[in-house]
Amino acid sequence: MADGLSLIPASVLRNLADKLYEKRKNAALEIEGIVKQLALAGEHEKISAVINLLTVDFACSPQANQRKGGLIGLAAATVGLAAEAAQHLEQIVPPVLNSFTDHDGRVRYYACEALYNIAKVVRGDFIFFFNKIFDALCKLSADADPNVQSAAHLLDRLIKDIVTESDQFSIEEFIPLLRERMNVLNPYVRQFLVGWITVLDSVPDIDMLGFLPDFLDGLFNMLSDSSHEIRQQADSALSEFLQEIKNSPINEFVKLGGEQLVPYYADILGAILPCISDKEEKIRVVARETNEELRAIRADPADGFNIDAILSIARRELTSEWEATRIEALHWISALLARYRSEVISYLNHTFDSLLNALSDSSNEVVLLALEVHACIAEDNKNFWRLVGLLVRNFQNDRVLLERRGALIVRRLCVLLDAERVYRQFSLNLEQEEDLDFASVMVQSLREEDINAKFLVQLDKLIRLLETPIFAYLRLQLLEPGKYTWLLKTLYGLLMMLPQQSAAFKILRTRLKTVPSYSCIEQLKGTSSENPYSQILQFSEDNRNRYAANVANVYNAIDFPSRLQQFEQMQHKHRMHSKSKLQSRNSTPSIASQSIEEEQLFADMALLTDLIKLNLSDYTEKIIAEYIWVGGSGVDLRSKARTLSGPVTDPSQLPKWNYDGSSTGQAPGEDSEVILYPQAIFKDPFRKGNNILVMCDCYTPQGEPIPTNKRHNAAKIFSNPAVAAEEAWFGIEQEYTLLQKDVKWPIGWPIGGYPGPQGPYYCSAGADKAFGRDVVDAHYKACLYAGIDISGINGEVMPGQWEFQVGPCVGISAGDQLWVARYVLEPADRLTRYRLDLREQRITEMAGVVLSLDPKPIQGDWNGAGAHTNYSTKSMRSDGGYGVIKEAIEKLGRRHKEHIAAYGEGNERRLTGRHETADIDTFVWGVANRGASIRVGRDTEKSGKGYFEDRRPASNMDPYVVTSMIAETTILWKPT
C-alpha cells in the first residue's frame, strides 16, 4: 500500500476524490500517464500496487466521490496499460462489477462508463468475465435511474460487438445463464434478453438453433407481454429462427425440440393461447399455427407429458375475454379426451365446473363446443347421470340460462347423445324435484323442444301423412262404435305430446275433430282389458301371427297400471300446488273460484305479449345510418340518413349511396350524381341505440375521387409501408368560437362591443367568464358516446372561444374522428336536445348558437383559432427519438411554404407573430415556445424522445390534408 501512495502525488489523490468531475478527470489523466511509464519500464508490481490503492482506498470507500474517483482511476490505469492490460484484469474488473450494485445511481453510472473504457482497451481478453458482466448488465437494464439504463445500454452494445468478433466465446457456458432468466417479467430485462438472442443468432459460428428448446418457452411467454414492443421483438426473434428452417416452418419449428419440448408443453400452451386473440395479425397467425402443431403431436404421459397441467391451462383460458382463445381451450380439452380419456376423467372434478360455466358463454360457438365436450365425457352412465343432475341444478339456480340457452343445450344433447336417453334422465331427475314451480317450467321447456328430438321428428313426419288419403281409411275405422278404442286413445295421446304451436299438432287436432262426437265420446268412455295392440294389428292381418308374440312381450314388459298411477299422483301433486298458490294469492273464495278463468287470462296475456314482441321485432331490428361527407367548400359538412335492416359493425357491411352533387357545388347539373363510400362508423349520440354515424368520402360513378375528396390521397399516404411501419400518432387541438346567431358576435360579448382585455378567460370558471359551457360539455359527452377518442376540453384565451382535443389517433383515423367531432358540434339544436336528454343541471339556454371555425373571428388584440397538431412516430417515441424529431422539424422547415398553403384559409390573419403565433413567413422552432411554428415539450427534451406540436394549422384546416402532409414530409420526403 505504501508503494502505491509513493507512486501517485498527494495532489492527484486529492483531486481524484473531489466532488467536481473535471478535477477527477484531470487526476485520472495523471494516473494514466504514471501507469504508462511504469508499463514501459516493466514495473508490474508497482502497477499492481497502484491498482490496489485505487481499489481499496477509493473504489471500496464509504464516500461516494472517492468511489467515483476509484472507478475513473481504474479505467485510466487500463488505458495506460494498453496492450499489457490483460494480465491485470483479474485485479481491475471485480471492483468495477461490484459497483454495479452501489446504492448511489451516479456511482452505478460511472461504473458503466469505467467498464466501457476498460472493454474498449482489452476487447477479446474481456470474454473471460463475460458471464459476470452479462449478469450485471441484465440487472442494470431494469435500473430505476434512466441515466444508468442509458449507460448500460451503451456498454451492452460494446460487449455485443466484442462477443460477435471473438473466437473464445462459449455458447455452452452462456445458455444456462440465459435459460435462468428467460421467465422474468420485467419488460426492460425481456428486451435485453431478446436482443442478445437475436445478436448471437446472427453470428455464423454460433449455433443458437441447437439450443432453441432452452429458451423457446420464454420467447413464447413474451408473445403475450402487455408491451407491444416486446411482443414485436419476440415475434421478430422467432421469425428469424423460422427463416433458418425450410419446408413447413412452423411444423419444423415445434418439432425441432422433439422430446425435449414435452415437459414445456403447458408453459408453451399458456403463452400461445392468449396470442391467438392478439390484435396483431402476424402474432395471431404464428400462435394459431403453432397451437395446431402442438395439438397434432402425440405425447406419452410417461415421457413427462403433464395432462393435468395442460387441462389447468385450458381451464384458465376458458375465462379469457376473447372468444377465439376460449374456443381453442375447448378444442384442447376435446383432443385430450379423445387421446387420454381415463386420465382426463380422473381430473374431472377440477374441470367440470369450468365446462358448466362455459354453457353460459355469450358465444354460441363456445356453448356448442362445450356441449360436445360434455357429451364426450357423458358416454358412460356415471358421468351422464352427473351431467344431467348438474344441468338441472344450474337451470334451477340460473333461470336466465334456462330461458336463453336451455332449449339449445337440451336440443344439442339430444343430437350428440341418444335423445330418448336424455329425456328419460331429465324425467327421472324432475320426478324427484321438490321445487314444483321449477319442475313445471322445466317440463314446459323440454316439451317445447321435444319435437326436435330424433325420436319425435319421425313422428312429426308420420302425422303429416294425415293430410293425405291415408286418414280416410283410419276415419272409417273410428266410425264403428265399440271398435278401435285404442286407436282413438293412441291418437289423442299423441296429440297431448305434441307442442301446440307445431304443425303436426294442428293437423292431428283438425282431423280428430272430424270424428263424430257421439262416436268419440262413446269410445273414450269405453274400457277394455284386451291387448290394445290387437286392434292395430288388424290393419296387417297377414302379418299378425308373425308379430303377435313380439308385440305381446313388449306390452307385458310395460306395467301400464303402475305408470298410470305414477302419472296421476304427479298430476295431483302439481294440481294441489297450483291451487295452494292461487289461494295464497287471492283473499276471497269468489276470486279463488275463478282460477280456471284467471289461468286462461294469464295465458292470453302472455300470448298477446309475445305477439307484440314479435310485431315490434321487425322495427327494432332496423337501424338508422347517418351518412356524412365534406361539402363543396371543403369546410362544410353534409349528411343524410337511410334505414338499414340490422346493426352494422364494420364500414364494409354498408352499401354505397349517392347524392346530388350539383346542389353541394361538387358536380355539374348534367352529370350530378356523386357516390358515397362508407369509411368509418361511430355510434349515433342523438338517436342512440344501434343507430350510427357514417363518415364517407366521395367519388364519381366511375370510381374516381372528386376534387374535394382529400381522404383518398391521405389514405394512400398512410397505407404506404414506410408510413404504416412508423405508426404515426396524431393529437389535434381543435379551437372554435361560439357566436350569437343573429349578430354573428361571440357569445358573452356586448353587441358590437368588447368585454375587456383577454386574460381571465383561459380555462376559466364562472358564468361571467366561461360562456357556452353547457354546449361544450354536451359535445364532450356526445363524442365519448360516439366512440371518438376525445381526450379533453378547455376554455380558450378569447371569451366565447373553446377547444377540444382528439387523439392520440393512428394515421387516417385522426381525420375521420375530427370531422365527425365537428359534425357532432356543428348543429347547436342537436346539442341542446342532447343536453336535455342527459338532464344537465345547468341553467344557460344555448338555443340559437352558431359555430365558427374562422381562424381570426375578431380582429384586433384577440387570439385567433387554430388546430395545433401534435405528432409522433414510432422512431420518435423510442430511445434516441429526439434526434429523429429534430430531423423531422428540419424537413418541415424546408417545406414551410407548401405546408402553410395547405393549412387553412385566412391563416394569414392569425399567424402574425403575436398572440402565441409565429409570423406566417417565418419558420422557427423551440422548446416550450408557444410563439414558434413548431413547439417541443420540456418532457420530450428531458427524456430524449416523444412528440412535437405543429402550431401552424388554422382552425378550419382539413385534417386529412394536414395529417397526411406531415407524415409525407417527415417520413417519405427525401430532401436533395
Side-chain angles (χ1 to χ4, degrees):
M1 190 68 65
D3 289 339
L5 289 170
S6 65
L7 292 168
I8 302 175
S11 61
V12 173
L13 293 175
R14 281 196 305 272
N15 288 338
L16 194 63
D18 198 277
K19 65 180 180 179
L20 296 177
Y21 173 77
E22 286 300 323
K23 288 188 176 182
R24 295 197 303 272
K25 181 179 177 183
N26 290 332
L29 291 173
E30 293 285 338
I31 292 172
E32 177 184 340
I34 292 169
V35 172
K36 185 180 294 185
Q37 293 301 319
L38 291 172
L40 289 173
E43 299 284 352
H44 284 283
E45 287 186 6
K46 292 183 177 180
I47 293 172
S48 293
V50 171
I51 295 172
N52 190 56
L53 172 68
L54 293 171
T55 300
V56 176
D57 284 7
F58 287 83
C60 297
S61 169
Q63 299 297 322
N65 289 328
Q66 285 187 292
R67 296 199 298 275
K68 296 173 188 176
L71 291 168
I72 195 171
L74 289 170
T78 307
V79 174
L81 282 164
E84 296 182 41
Q87 59 185 297
H88 294 280
L89 281 180
E90 290 188 13
Q91 192 180 3
I92 294 171
V93 172
V96 178
L97 289 176
N98 290 337
S99 298
F100 282 155
T101 58
D102 196 286
H103 66 276
D104 190 323
R106 297 304 295 170
V107 174
R108 298 197 300 275
Y109 175 86
Y110 285 114
C112 292
E113 184 180 71
L115 197 60
Y116 183 89
N117 290 322
I118 294 168
K120 279 203 304 184
V121 174
V122 299
R123 303 295 292 185
D125 294 326
F126 216 49
I127 296 298
F128 178 80
F129 300 93
F130 174 78
N131 280 10
K132 292 181 179 179
I133 294 170
F134 179 88
D135 182 61
L137 284 174
C138 190
K139 296 172 183 175
L140 288 178
S141 65
D143 197 284
D145 190 331
N147 292 320
V148 176
Q149 281 191 12
S150 299
H153 179 68
L154 290 173
L155 176 60
D156 180 54
R157 287 170 58 181
L158 177 61
I159 301 300
K160 285 174 180 171
D161 290 341
I162 293 172
V163 167
T164 55
E165 66 186 26
S166 173
D167 57 357
Q168 300 178 32
F169 177 73
S170 173
I171 185 66
E172 291 79 10
E173 293 178 9
F174 169 71
I175 286 298
L177 197 65
L178 177 66
R179 184 173 56 239
E180 288 175 6
R181 289 157 178 77
M182 282 304 293
N183 290 319
V184 296
L185 300 178
N186 187 283
Y188 297 104
V189 177
R190 283 186 161 185
Q191 286 181 310
F192 171 81
L193 295 173
V194 176
W196 269 99
I197 291 171
T198 304
V199 166
L200 293 176
D201 187 51
S202 67
V203 180
D205 296 334
I206 297 176
D207 180 23
M208 286 294 285
L209 201 61
F211 297 94
L212 187 59
D214 292 281
F215 53 85
L216 179 61
D217 56 329
L219 282 177
F220 277 128
N221 285 332
M222 292 181 194
L223 287 176
S224 59
D225 195 279
S226 59
S227 167
H228 173 74
E229 280 189 81
I230 292 174
R231 293 201 307 272
Q232 279 203 327
Q233 288 177 1
D235 178 65
S236 177
L238 289 168
S239 299
E240 288 296 323
F241 287 114
L242 291 177
Q243 292 299 323
E244 299 172 34
I245 304 170
K246 298 179 181 179
N247 302 323
S248 304
I250 293 293
N251 199 336
E252 295 296 324
F253 183 61
V254 174
K255 289 182 179 178
L256 184 65
E259 294 180 358
Q260 298 179 66
L261 278 181
V262 171
Y264 301 104
Y265 269 20
D267 294 327
I268 295 172
L269 185 64
I272 286 298
L273 286 181
C275 295
I276 286 173
S277 304
D278 197 276
K279 63 181 180 180
E280 297 291 332
E281 183 179 1
K282 189 176 180 182
I283 292 177
R284 289 200 306 272
V285 171
V286 171
R288 190 171 292 279
E289 291 177 353
T290 308
N291 176 62
E292 291 173 359
E293 190 60 39
L294 280 173
R295 200 161 56 228
I297 297 175
R298 294 179 177 271
D300 191 340
D303 296 331
F305 182 65
N306 193 333
I307 296 174
D308 188 27
I310 297 287
L311 281 172
S312 178
I313 295 296
R315 286 197 302 270
R316 184 189 74 193
E317 297 306 329
L318 277 177
T319 62
S320 167
E321 62 177 312
W322 305 109
E323 179 185 5
T325 297
R326 300 197 300 274
I327 288 172
E328 288 305 318
L330 286 167
H331 281 311
W332 266 99
I333 297 175
S334 180
L336 292 174
L337 267 170
R339 296 175 193 169
Y340 316 104
R341 179 178 175 81
S342 59
E343 290 87 350
V344 173
I345 294 296
S346 68
Y347 299 117
L348 200 57
N349 288 336
H350 304 295
T351 310
F352 223 111
D353 287 342
S354 299
L355 288 173
L356 283 172
N357 291 336
L359 298 179
S360 302
D361 198 282
S362 58
S363 164
N364 280 345
E365 187 174 354
V366 171
V367 174
L368 292 174
L369 278 172
L371 286 169
E372 289 183 13
V373 174
H374 277 298
C376 185
I377 294 171
E379 288 177 0
D380 60 271
N381 285 335
K382 179 181 177 181
N383 286 311
F384 173 72
W385 299 333
R386 180 182 184 182
L387 171 63
V388 174
L390 288 173
L391 279 176
V392 170
R393 291 283 75 76
N394 273 21
F395 287 147
Q396 185 175 19
N397 296 330
D398 187 354
R399 297 297 175 90
V400 175
L401 175 64
L402 175 60
E403 179 183 346
R404 294 182 179 176
R405 288 284 170 71
L408 174 66
I409 291 170
V410 173
R411 186 190 313 130
R412 189 61 185 163
L413 285 177
C414 286
V415 172
L416 295 170
L417 303 168
D418 179 64
E420 183 175 356
R421 183 187 179 201
V422 171
Y423 271 82
R424 283 183 180 274
Q425 191 60 44
F426 270 109
S427 299
L428 290 172
N429 283 68
L430 292 173
E431 187 178 347
Q432 307 300 322
E433 182 58 52
E434 294 181 0
D435 185 345
L436 298 183
D437 289 330
F438 165 71
S440 178
V441 171
M442 191 68 197
V443 168
Q444 289 298 321
S445 178
L446 291 171
R447 185 171 178 268
E448 289 173 2
E449 285 303 312
D450 60 7
I451 195 62
N452 296 300
K454 284 183 177 179
F455 73 101
L456 283 178
V457 169
Q458 296 301 320
L459 175 62
D460 180 59
K461 293 180 180 178
L462 177 64
I463 291 174
R464 288 176 184 272
L465 293 176
L466 298 180
E467 294 180 298
T468 68
I470 292 176
F471 189 76
Y473 177 75
L474 294 176
R475 184 168 177 269
L476 289 174
Q477 313 304 317
L478 295 172
L479 290 175
E480 300 184 43
K483 299 180 71 176
Y484 310 114
T485 305
W486 286 103
L487 173 60
L488 184 63
K489 290 185 176 183
T490 300
L491 291 176
Y492 269 102
L494 291 176
L495 185 68
M496 291 173 64
M497 292 176 62
L498 293 170
Q500 294 182 11
Q501 294 83 3
S502 66
F505 175 88
K506 295 174 182 177
I507 293 169
L508 183 56
R509 183 180 60 178
T510 302
R511 294 306 184 190
L512 286 172
K513 284 182 178 179
T514 64
V515 177
S517 57
Y518 74 90
S519 175
C520 179
I521 293 170
E522 290 298 321
Q523 292 183 53
L524 289 176
K525 283 182 177 179
T527 58
S528 175
S529 59
E530 67 179 298
N531 188 330
Y533 290 94
S534 62
Q535 297 176 17
I536 300 174
L537 290 174
Q538 291 179 17
F539 295 121
S540 307
E541 194 66 31
D542 295 338
N543 297 324
R544 180 175 181 179
N545 293 332
R546 185 186 306 170
Y547 296 115
N550 289 336
V551 170
N553 289 336
V554 171
Y555 175 74
N556 293 330
I558 301 174
D559 187 351
F560 282 100
S562 174
R563 290 296 180 189
L564 179 60
Q565 183 182 12
Q566 183 183 7
F567 172 77
E568 289 175 343
Q569 289 174 349
M570 187 62 64
Q571 195 175 42
H572 175 74
K573 187 177 179 180
H574 278 267
R575 188 181 295 113
M576 295 304 296
H577 177 69
S578 297
K579 286 184 177 180
S580 175
K581 283 174 60 180
L582 285 170
Q583 288 173 359
S584 63
R585 212 168 56 226
N586 300 295
S587 58
T588 62
S590 60
I591 296 178
S593 65
Q594 300 173 3
S595 59
I596 297 176
E597 290 79 1
E598 182 179 338
E599 288 181 1
Q600 184 61 49
L601 178 61
F602 286 143
D604 291 342
M605 288 176 66
L607 179 60
L608 181 60
T609 302
D610 289 341
L611 288 173
I612 293 172
K613 289 180 179 178
L614 185 63
N615 291 332
L616 285 175
S617 64
D618 288 339
Y619 171 75
T620 54
E621 287 179 0
K622 293 181 171 62
I623 69 162
I624 300 171
E626 188 83 25
Y627 280 45
I628 307 165
W629 69 96
V630 180
S633 69
V635 179
D636 63 314
L637 284 163
R638 306 294 181 109
S639 73
K640 63 176 186 173
R642 68 182 299 166
T643 304
L644 300 176
S645 59
V648 174
T649 57
D650 191 86
S652 61
Q653 300 170 329
L654 290 164
K656 296 175 184 177
W657 207 7
N658 63 76
Y659 67 92
D660 173 16
S662 67
S663 298
T664 62
Q666 293 172 290
E670 62 273 13
D671 187 13
S672 64
E673 191 168 281
V674 179
I675 311 302
L676 293 169
Y677 285 32
Q679 300 292 358
I681 59 175
F682 301 86
K683 293 169 65 178
D684 189 332
F686 308 115
R687 299 185 178 101
K688 300 188 178 179
N690 288 324
N691 302 304
I692 55 174
L693 304 177
V694 185
M695 190 64 206
C696 307
D697 57 355
C698 307
Y699 296 81
T700 66
Q702 292 74 36
E704 295 296 323
I706 66 173
T708 54
N709 180 358
K710 306 302 182 185
R711 190 187 193 281
H712 178 77
N713 184 63
K716 287 170 61 177
I717 291 172
F718 285 119
S719 62
N720 184 290
V723 178
E726 282 291 347
E727 298 178 11
W729 290 2
F730 295 94
I732 303 174
E733 304 170 24
Q734 176 69 67
E735 296 177 337
Y736 61 95
T737 309
L738 296 175
L739 305 178
Q740 300 172 56
K741 181 178 179 182
D742 297 326
V743 294
K744 300 297 176 61
W745 201 246
I747 62 172
W749 292 40
I751 304 301
Y754 300 91
Q758 60 183 12
Y761 306 102
Y762 175 70
C763 295
S764 62
D768 60 336
K769 302 182 192 70
F771 308 120
R773 187 184 292 276
D774 52 352
V775 167
V776 175
D777 277 358
H779 174 250
Y780 196 170
K781 293 175 182 177
C783 285
L784 287 173
Y785 180 90
I788 295 168
D789 293 325
I790 183 168
S791 50
I793 60 167
N794 61 266
E796 270 304 329
V797 178
M798 190 180 83
Q801 192 178 75
W802 293 82
E803 172 186 301
F804 66 86
Q805 302 93 34
V806 169
C809 304
V810 180
I812 195 71
S813 69
D816 291 335
Q817 295 201 38
L818 188 69
W819 273 120
V820 175
R822 286 177 176 176
Y823 174 81
V824 173
L825 175 62
E826 199 159 303
D829 60 320
R830 284 174 177 267
L831 289 174
T832 302
R833 291 200 303 273
Y834 195 78
R835 176 175 60 82
L836 294 174
D837 287 345
L838 294 174
R839 287 164 173 76
E840 285 287 325
Q841 300 301 310
R842 301 194 186 278
I843 59 174
T844 307
E845 176 57 50
M846 291 310 303
V849 169
V850 175
L851 169 69
S852 172
L853 294 180
D854 191 296
K856 188 72 172 180
I858 302 296
Q859 297 302 314
D861 191 21
W862 301 99
N863 275 31
H868 304 153
T869 302
N870 299 273
Y871 170 67
S872 73
T873 63
K874 186 177 179 181
S875 299
M876 296 176 189
R877 299 187 294 270
S878 303
D879 290 340
Y882 196 56
V884 181
I885 289 173
K886 290 193 285 187
E887 290 174 7
I889 293 174
E890 183 182 351
K891 286 184 178 182
L892 290 169
R894 296 179 66 175
R895 298 187 75 186
H896 177 62
K897 289 185 178 179
E898 292 94 322
H899 278 257
I900 286 295
Y903 274 15
E905 295 294 328
N907 214 7
E908 71 281 354
R909 293 182 282 117
R910 167 178 162 265
L911 299 180
T912 61
R914 300 181 62 211
H915 306 116
E916 298 182 299
T917 68
D919 183 78
I920 193 168
D921 297 318
T922 305
F923 181 86
V924 60
W925 76 278
V927 176
N929 183 0
R930 282 182 162 75
S933 307
I934 302 290
R935 180 185 67 86
V936 176
R938 288 286 183 202
D939 288 343
T940 297
E941 180 190 42
K942 182 178 179 180
S943 62
K945 56 185 176 182
Y947 71 98
F948 64 83
E949 175 191 44
D950 191 340
R951 297 179 60 80
R952 297 171 295 172
S955 55
N956 59 5
M957 63 82 161
D958 187 325
Y960 294 136
V961 174
V962 170
T963 56
S964 61
M965 197 171 189
I966 292 174
E968 181 184 33
T969 296
T970 58
I971 301 173
L972 300 179
W973 184 57
K974 306 298 181 186
T976 55

